[in-house]
Amino acid sequence: MSRILTFILAAIAGALIIMALLKIGGHVTGAAFGQQFDLPFGVVIGAAALGAIVLIAGTAMVKDLVQMPARMKARDAAAKRERGIAAVARGLEAVEVGDASGAQHHAKVAARNLHDMSLTRLLSARAAQLAGDDASASAAFSKMIDAPETEFLGLHGLFVGAMRKGERARAHEYAERAFKLRPNARWAFDAVLDLALDRGDWREARATLETGRKSAVVSAEKAARGEAALLTATAYAAAASGDDDLARREADAALKIASAFAPAAVLSARLHAGRGEAHKAAKILETAFAGAPESAIIMAHIDLFKDGSDAARSEKLERLAARNPDAPAAMATHARALLLKGEASKAIEQLESLLKVRATARDCSMMAEAHGAVYGPHAAQPWLERAAAAPRDPAPGATDGEFNLTRDGWSRLVREYIEHGRLAPPPLEGPPPGLAEHEFHLLAPPAPVTTGDDADDDGDAKFDNASPDGASAAADAAADEAPPADRLQDSTDEAPPAAGNDAADDNESADERLAKDADAARGVS
């Protein structure tokens, strides 16, 4: 409709122009080709305008005819490009769904229709990789790294192929080259860091973390944790090679970054203690315990100061526990300090609170020691048996306060500390469960069997190992509530001890069994 209106308006305008030209006065006379002419001025102007229009139109028509083949060729090229781009899109979709044959078909269509091979090489490589044609995939990726616009993608493909073949050295080369091209690429950062950790190259791992921090591919907090862990791994390697000075410097540097990192604190404390700096060693362990109350710190503290007097050791343990008093490890430390001071009854109360939270082999063994000090060896027996069956503390270094790990062990610890700020992943079975109230009654000190010389005139039992802090009174109360000998025999299926030499022999064999059970419990804990 708009075109018709435009044509009508143009015709009217043309007619008005012609009428206006015809009304122009004057004539134009002249001669051309031997002919004389005398034309009105308006007719001459109109003819000139018409000639110009015809000339312009003719020129445009000739130009269109000349350019028609090129236009047709360009139109065909655009159509082919559209088909090629569509094939690339469908091919990548086939790669994502795992359709190897479809991906290869679309890759061929794309290669046939697109002259820009950079758009098709990735699809061809991925399709060959998906089809299991590693040779073709490697060739395609190798061509991609020659072009700047596809170099990074080609390196990623070659890295994946090398890792699939187990060629870790070559994979590291590709990943390192890609990381230099794109420092903010997460896969390249992870690959370079993991391969460095697998090789035990702590220096390269630290440099990678620093680059990743600057590129914001890893947070500053994780980078700092990684720096501390890697400095500690270097310190342990130096200590293993006999270079204690380097080990101490690296461990102290790690503690400046993460003062609560237990492996660094333990090693630094041992090295400073070896130089006669016991006070500094204790300070290092106390600072680390305040931030992260690890069992390894307690064990290292006990081992470092084992040659001191019981009073001095107890005071140091109390000071250690006071740095993080609400932690279960602090409760165990406080109980150990009470035992060293000879306050076994208070230690039992402290351990009862702890055992309701957790019941490890070491905690139960400590309770056995406390019961033995208060009620006698027979009272330690149930707790020793419980200790033998209880789980160990799963934390690294909890057994002896040492972190003598292999290269793979350090690699796992560094990864775990970087990502989660802990020394090891949580155990599959969870932490050791605490004891229920009724279990404490089942493990209560058994009443002793008294015969002959073992009882006084009032029938009160006597304990040779009763402690001075009220243990005798507790033992007397337990003896008053003891059942008759015949009922005790029925409940335990054991014959009552005989008087005289037989009783002495039985007591000796019982002591031997108790000693064996205690040794077994200590071995487990």
Side-chain angles (χ1 to χ4, degrees):
M1 187 69 181
S2 60
R3 291 182 179 180
I4 295 175
L5 181 61
T6 302
F7 175 77
I8 294 173
L9 293 174
I12 294 173
L16 293 173
I17 292 172
I18 292 173
M19 291 176 66
L21 291 174
L22 291 175
K23 291 180 179 180
I24 297 176
H27 290 265
V28 176
T29 59
F33 305 105
Q35 299 291 329
Q36 297 289 329
F37 58 87
D38 184 8
L39 298 173
F41 186 72
V43 173
V44 174
I45 295 176
L50 181 61
I53 292 173
V54 171
L55 180 62
I56 294 172
T59 303
M61 290 179 64
V62 172
K63 182 181 178 182
D64 290 341
L65 289 174
V66 173
Q67 293 181 345
M68 184 175 294
R71 289 181 178 180
M72 293 179 64
K73 187 176 181 180
R75 187 168 59 249
D76 291 342
K80 288 183 65 175
R81 184 175 179 83
E82 289 180 1
R83 287 195 297 270
I85 293 176
V88 170
R90 295 191 184 100
L92 292 176
E93 182 180 348
V95 169
E96 291 299 322
V97 300
D99 183 3
S101 61
Q104 288 180 317
H105 168 72
H106 291 301
K108 292 177 181 178
V109 173
R112 189 168 58 247
N113 287 280
L114 291 175
H115 295 291
D116 187 1
M117 297 304 295
S118 63
L119 296 176
T120 61
R121 281 173 182 161
L122 176 61
L123 177 58
S124 300
R126 293 292 303 276
Q129 198 175 49
L130 187 62
D133 188 356
D134 292 337
S136 298
S138 179
F141 284 126
S142 297
K143 291 179 181 178
M144 289 176 66
I145 65 175
D146 294 332
E149 62 272 15
T150 58
E151 181 180 4
F152 181 76
L153 294 174
L155 289 170
H156 184 235
L158 291 172
F159 165 78
V160 172
M163 289 295 291
R164 182 181 296 177
K165 296 177 184 178
E167 300 174 351
R168 302 184 70 83
R170 181 169 295 179
H172 179 262
E173 293 177 3
Y174 295 137
E176 194 173 35
R177 180 175 168 183
F179 190 52
K180 289 179 180 178
L181 284 175
R182 302 285 190 275
N184 59 343
R186 181 72 195 200
W187 76 263
F189 168 78
D190 289 339
V192 174
L193 180 61
D194 287 343
L195 291 170
L197 291 176
D198 289 343
R199 297 196 318 275
D201 191 342
W202 313 131
R203 186 180 299 276
E204 181 185 352
R206 288 171 58 190
T208 302
L209 273 174
E210 179 62 18
T211 304
R213 183 190 64 79
K214 292 179 179 178
S215 303
V217 72
V218 63
S219 67
E221 182 182 2
K222 289 185 177 181
R225 290 203 299 258
E227 177 78 5
L230 290 167
L231 284 170
T232 304
T234 304
Y236 274 86
S241 64
D243 192 347
D244 288 348
D245 290 337
L246 176 61
R248 187 181 66 258
R249 290 197 302 270
E250 298 285 34
D252 289 346
L255 290 176
K256 290 180 180 178
I257 301 172
S259 60
F261 190 47
V266 166
L267 178 60
S268 178
R270 290 187 184 281
L271 293 173
H272 282 288
R275 290 160 54 93
E277 301 171 353
H279 179 73
K280 187 171 184 178
K283 188 69 175 178
I284 290 172
L285 293 177
E286 290 170 9
T287 303
F289 191 81
E294 298 285 349
S295 299
I297 297 175
I298 302 173
M299 299 308 298
H301 191 283
I302 293 174
D303 184 62
L304 285 177
F305 303 106
K306 62 184 177 182
D307 295 332
S309 64
D310 288 349
R313 293 168 61 198
S314 175
E315 181 181 355
K316 285 184 171 63
L317 286 174
E318 289 283 12
R319 191 162 55 245
L320 179 68
R323 297 303 300 270
N324 203 328
D326 296 330
M331 299 169 67
T333 305
H334 182 55
R336 172 60 62 187
L338 290 172
L339 286 174
L340 288 173
K341 289 194 295 186
E343 299 178 3
S345 297
K346 293 182 179 179
I348 290 176
E349 295 177 3
Q350 181 72 21
L351 288 169
E352 285 181 353
S353 300
L354 173 62
L355 289 169
K356 291 177 181 178
V357 178
R358 71 178 194 187
T360 65
R362 182 177 293 110
D363 299 331
C364 293
S365 180
M366 203 184 312
M367 180 64 100
E369 182 180 350
H371 273 75
V374 176
Y375 303 114
H378 69 286
Q381 182 67 26
W383 285 104
L384 289 174
E385 294 173 356
R386 180 78 185 196
R392 294 185 180 185
D393 189 340
T399 302
D400 54 5
E402 297 283 351
F403 289 91
N404 297 321
L405 307 177
T406 63
R407 184 183 67 188
D408 291 341
W410 275 112
S411 177
R412 290 194 297 270
L413 188 148
V414 170
R415 286 189 180 96
E416 193 68 22
Y417 194 65
I418 289 175
E419 291 298 325
H420 306 288
R422 61 195 180 198
L423 302 183
L428 295 177
E429 297 181 356
L435 299 182
E437 195 67 37
H438 70 277
E439 293 181 279
F440 284 100
H441 294 295
L442 294 175
L443 296 170
V449 178
T450 58
T451 58
D453 296 337
D454 293 333
D456 58 11
D457 295 339
D458 297 331
D460 295 335
K462 297 178 180 178
F463 291 94
D464 295 333
N465 295 327
S467 66
D469 55 342
S472 297
D476 292 342
D480 291 339
E481 297 177 1
D486 55 349
R487 284 166 51 192
L488 182 63
Q489 179 179 357
D490 293 339
S491 62
T492 61
D493 294 330
E494 296 180 0
N501 294 333
D502 292 339
D505 294 340
D506 289 345
N507 289 335
E508 290 177 358
S509 62
D511 291 340
E512 292 175 358
R513 289 195 301 271
L514 182 59
K516 291 179 180 179
D517 290 339
D519 292 339
R522 293 190 187 96
V524 172
S525 62

